Amino acid sequence: MKNLQDLFQLVATATEQNGEELRTWFINYSGHVNKMQVNYYFTGWKKDSHSSQCDSLEQNLDEDGIQSLYWFIKTRLK
């Protein structure tokens, strides 16, 4: 079972890999409402990118949401 600290460590790893091999991550953390949204552009982000080039997930940071976000990011890292 992953916790919030595990998730934020993985977010740091994704941030470090941002831009490598065209991979682009957008991570929005809204602490005031306890939510996170992650957008992953697997072919790189462009101003006119289409949503088909983007995987996206938004979750509340409860137990289930943390698991979903963690594995969403983990399975897309190199």
Side-chain angles (χ1 to χ4, degrees):
M1 183 75 58
K2 302 302 178 183
N3 60 35
L4 194 57
Q5 183 176 359
D6 296 326
L7 175 60
F8 276 103
Q9 287 174 344
L10 200 60
V11 166
T13 301
T15 302
E16 290 171 0
Q17 292 184 11
N18 198 45
E20 292 181 10
E21 300 176 18
L22 297 177
R23 305 164 197 257
T24 306
W25 295 92
F26 285 84
I27 300 166
N28 298 311
Y29 169 65
S30 302
H32 66 293
V33 292
N34 208 32
K35 286 187 177 192
M36 182 179 285
Q37 179 181 10
V38 179
N39 295 319
Y40 175 64
Y41 291 84
F42 48 90
T43 59
W45 182 84
K46 296 176 187 76
K47 184 177 180 181
D48 298 321
S49 290
H50 301 297
S51 61
S52 63
Q53 299 172 337
C54 176
D55 291 338
S56 183
L57 182 65
E58 181 176 353
Q59 293 284 314
N60 291 321
L61 292 176
D62 56 18
E63 191 174 299
D64 290 336
I66 291 169
Q67 304 314 304
S68 295
L69 287 161
Y70 181 90
W71 291 107
F72 178 84
I73 296 169
K74 181 75 172 174
T75 58
R76 287 159 179 81
L77 290 174
K78 66 175 186 171

